[in-house]
Amino acid sequence: MLKGTLKSGALVLSLSMITSGCALAEWAKNATSNQPLSMIDMSKLSPEERAKLEAEIREDQSRLMAEKQAMLEMSLIHEIGEQNLQFKSVVAKLYADNKYDLLWQDKEAEKQFLREYAAMVASGVSKRSAQSLENLNQAEQNGGLAYDVLLSDAFLDYIYYSTNVSRQAQRWLYGSSSYKAQLPSDEQIQQWLSAVKNNDVLAYVKGLSTDNSHYRQTVLALSSMISDLGITPTGKKLAINAQRLRVIPDFHNGIFVNIPSYQLQYYRDGRLVLESRVIVGKDQRRTPVMYSKLSNVVVNPPWNAPTRLVNEDIVPKLKRDPGYAAAHSYSILDSKGNSIDPYSIDWNKIGKNFPYRIRQAPGDSALGNYKFNMPSSDAIYLHDTPNRSLFSRKDRALSSGCVRVEKSSQLADILLKEAGWSENRKQSVLASKKTTSANIRSDNPVFLYYVTAWVENGQTKVLPDIYKYDNAVSNDEINWHTVKKYL
């Protein structure tokens, strides 16, 4: 009944009227078929008729909005010609709303953005971003609206990347082509447009980057690594590792563990207060890249063996010799916490999944004297270890994922003192072998990161790629002349 009227009416509805679903709904209420819609007594319609009417309105509303969007895109093409855009629909609306004025009037902001975008492209995390940079390079000579639109399209890509890379670092920066551009949030787009309106784009662009000094120095060095032959092997490592550096703040406050360097650094107010060797996860059980905060220190921690370690390492040894449990202070516990005699278990019937928990007693556990807890979805934490000789090894990728700290006693001293513990109290608790915890009183962010190459004070530092992450990212199809131009 109503559908034909709505369609015919839409042909004469001006584009300026179709600004929102509300406008269309208001128009639909006044549309007529054999009689005006406003004269229809909705209370006399059956639920089925009312539902059908509402569905027709929604369908027409959706169609009209699609037509409006198509007209906006056709208008953009009329202004700039066909362009290979990532976010054509959004860009079309942005420029229509702005009456096709240029959004990139601040040339310093443009230069800053293109440097950051070129550094991102050089890393190889996105072939599509590399295409956008190349499109910009080709359009720059003519400039004008087409170039401005391409800048904005690439900038939407960069906003999404820069605001999400910290949360997605493990996937985007340590895998093969896992980054896929998406639109940033409406709020982020409005923040950018507000910066344009207030002539504050440079500050907005800078705010999307990082204050990590190693990142800035590394990006600055990239240009010298590029020649007519492409980028050098060291330059390739620097490019991807620069992006890994951008996800951590400058080294001012917090605990920083660079996984491939097997090193922990603890900074307070810009001062290095502790440096220690660490042991990290072996290649089969990698320590993840993550950010967290210390929550408490546990003195004399027991050790609850992880399920994977139990099934793969401990159970095979117990099958050969049940006495292995007592020799290593292991308790075998059922679901109610009751202790199970290892000699009472029929080990021949134990399959791949051990039905019990294994716990090592405090004071004699694999965690040593201290455990430093922090929230982690992977159950990762820092801890001591009784096996001190392993810290003298050059290759220290030896753990099951958690981080063993050589100077755990010194770290505990700092944190326990802040919690009000005296040295006598600490020694007394250690001697008791009773598990005792103390809440962390100060703010102690923890950054577990993975960087194998960077530039520091003019010196290029290169570390072994212990997890083979650097080769996972491909940058073979990048136009290095273009990248060098903008770096």
Side-chain angles (χ1 to χ4, degrees):
M1 175 182 71
L2 178 66
K3 196 168 185 178
T5 302
L6 287 175
K7 286 186 176 180
S8 61
L11 296 176
V12 297
L13 186 62
S14 69
L15 185 62
S16 62
M17 290 174 61
I18 315 172
T19 56
S20 69
C22 293
L24 177 59
E26 186 64 29
W27 171 76
K29 288 178 184 177
N30 298 313
T32 61
S33 51
N34 296 324
Q35 58 181 318
L37 180 61
S38 58
M39 295 176 62
I40 296 177
D41 187 347
M42 300 292 285
S43 65
K44 294 183 178 180
L45 296 178
S46 69
E48 292 78 11
E49 290 173 327
R50 180 179 297 184
K52 182 179 179 181
L53 183 62
E54 291 172 347
E56 289 179 356
I57 293 174
R58 287 194 299 270
E59 180 183 344
D60 219 71
Q61 184 179 21
S62 176
R63 178 180 59 79
L64 288 168
M65 294 306 294
E67 289 175 357
K68 175 187 176 182
Q69 183 60 49
M71 293 180 69
L72 288 174
E73 293 179 20
M74 289 175 61
S75 178
L76 182 67
I77 292 171
H78 176 74
E79 294 287 339
I80 67 173
E82 283 286 359
Q83 299 291 339
N84 187 4
L85 300 172
Q86 295 192 67
F87 307 108
K88 188 175 184 179
S89 61
V90 173
V91 170
K93 185 176 187 309
L94 286 179
Y95 279 85
D97 290 347
N98 203 47
K99 298 180 174 58
Y100 297 99
D101 288 340
L102 302 185
L103 298 179
W104 290 90
Q105 304 280 8
D106 187 336
K107 293 303 175 183
E108 190 60 34
E110 176 187 328
K111 182 180 178 181
Q112 176 73 24
F113 157 56
L114 287 172
R115 182 187 298 116
E116 296 285 346
Y117 200 53
M120 169 192 165
V121 166
S123 71
V125 299
S126 172
K127 292 181 180 179
R128 185 61 185 84
S129 300
Q131 176 73 57
S132 290
L133 188 68
E134 187 58 29
N135 294 342
L136 278 165
N137 179 48
Q138 294 174 7
E140 185 177 6
Q141 184 174 356
N142 294 327
L145 181 60
Y147 176 65
D148 201 85
V149 169
L150 287 167
L151 273 171
S152 295
D153 185 65
F155 192 57
L156 290 172
D157 174 18
Y158 178 68
I159 292 174
Y160 176 76
Y161 172 80
S162 62
T163 54
N164 289 280
V165 66
S166 293
R167 292 186 295 273
Q168 301 292 340
Q170 187 75 62
R171 289 199 311 116
W172 291 357
L173 305 180
Y174 301 94
S176 178
S177 302
S178 58
Y179 169 73
K180 304 296 180 187
Q182 296 182 36
L183 268 175
S185 68
D186 291 341
E187 180 183 2
Q188 290 163 347
I189 294 175
Q190 290 307 313
Q191 288 171 351
W192 164 42
L193 295 178
S194 177
V196 172
K197 182 179 179 180
N198 296 314
N199 298 315
D200 201 24
V201 182
L202 180 58
Y204 181 75
V205 173
K206 287 182 176 179
L208 293 173
S209 188
T210 175
D211 63 355
N212 188 294
S213 59
H214 291 170
Y215 167 81
R216 293 196 299 271
Q217 293 177 65
T218 302
V219 169
L220 192 62
L222 279 179
S223 181
S224 65
M225 305 282 179
I226 300 172
S227 68
D228 291 339
L229 300 176
I231 192 167
T232 66
T234 299
K236 181 178 179 180
K237 287 176 73 73
L238 288 174
I240 183 59
N241 280 284
Q243 297 306 305
R244 294 168 183 168
L245 281 165
R246 75 175 291 151
V247 307
I248 60 174
D250 209 3
F251 303 95
H252 190 75
N253 271 307
I255 293 174
F256 297 83
V257 177
N258 189 10
I259 296 165
S261 74
Y262 311 122
Q263 199 79 11
L264 175 151
Q265 293 180 316
Y266 187 11
Y267 286 88
R268 286 285 186 87
D269 299 321
R271 185 173 64 90
L272 182 63
V273 296
L274 181 68
E275 191 165 25
S276 174
R277 295 176 181 178
V278 297
I279 291 169
V280 300
K282 61 185 73 173
D283 191 33
Q284 299 84 353
R285 299 173 188 172
R286 298 174 177 180
T287 298
V289 172
M290 59 174 280
Y291 159 74
S292 189
K293 286 190 176 185
L294 291 186
S295 54
N296 64 348
V297 181
V298 181
V299 183
N300 295 323
W303 180 55
N304 296 298
T307 301
R308 181 177 175 182
L309 190 67
V310 168
N311 290 321
E312 294 182 3
D313 294 356
I314 299 176
V315 168
K317 294 173 182 176
L318 287 170
K319 285 183 176 181
R320 291 192 295 269
D321 177 17
Y324 180 81
H328 290 80
S329 301
Y330 288 150
S331 296
I332 300 175
L333 307 174
D334 65 15
S335 59
K336 296 180 179 180
N338 299 316
S339 182
I340 306 297
D341 184 348
Y343 289 97
S344 69
I345 298 173
D346 186 349
W347 292 102
N348 292 323
K349 293 184 179 180
I350 298 298
K352 292 182 178 180
N353 297 311
F354 193 54
Y356 305 110
R357 293 184 296 115
I358 292 183
R359 191 181 195 194
Q360 201 172 36
D364 298 306
S365 81
L367 303 185
N369 293 327
Y370 307 102
K371 178 185 178 187
F372 306 91
N373 282 320
M374 54 188 182
S376 165
S377 60
D378 298 303
I380 298 297
Y381 47 83
L382 312 178
H383 66 90
D384 186 21
T385 177
N387 197 348
R388 315 296 297 176
S389 64
L390 295 178
F391 289 109
S392 63
R393 292 181 53 167
K394 183 178 180 180
D395 175 9
R396 295 194 293 277
L398 305 167
S399 80
S400 295
C402 289
V403 179
R404 305 175 196 172
V405 182
E406 183 178 32
K407 295 183 180 179
S408 56
S409 179
Q410 291 93 318
L411 179 59
D413 284 345
I414 296 171
L415 300 173
L416 291 174
K417 184 177 180 180
E418 292 177 348
W421 284 42
S422 65
E423 179 64 20
N424 286 339
R425 181 181 179 185
K426 186 188 80 168
Q427 294 300 332
S428 176
V429 172
L430 282 172
S432 73
K433 292 195 174 184
K434 292 182 178 180
T435 302
T436 308
S437 65
N439 291 331
I440 301 293
R441 296 288 180 85
S442 54
D443 183 46
N444 291 276
V446 179
F447 300 90
L448 306 184
Y449 66 105
Y450 187 103
V451 172
T452 60
W454 70 97
V455 176
E456 183 178 358
N457 299 325
Q459 299 294 315
T460 300
K461 313 284 187 178
V462 179
L463 296 173
D465 182 17
I466 61 174
Y467 293 161
K468 304 297 183 291
Y469 282 142
D470 292 351
N471 294 328
V473 180
S474 172
N475 51 15
D476 296 335
E477 300 179 17
I478 294 171
N479 186 331
W480 292 109
H481 291 286
T482 300
V483 170
K484 186 179 178 71
K485 172 183 175 180
Y486 293 116
L487 282 175

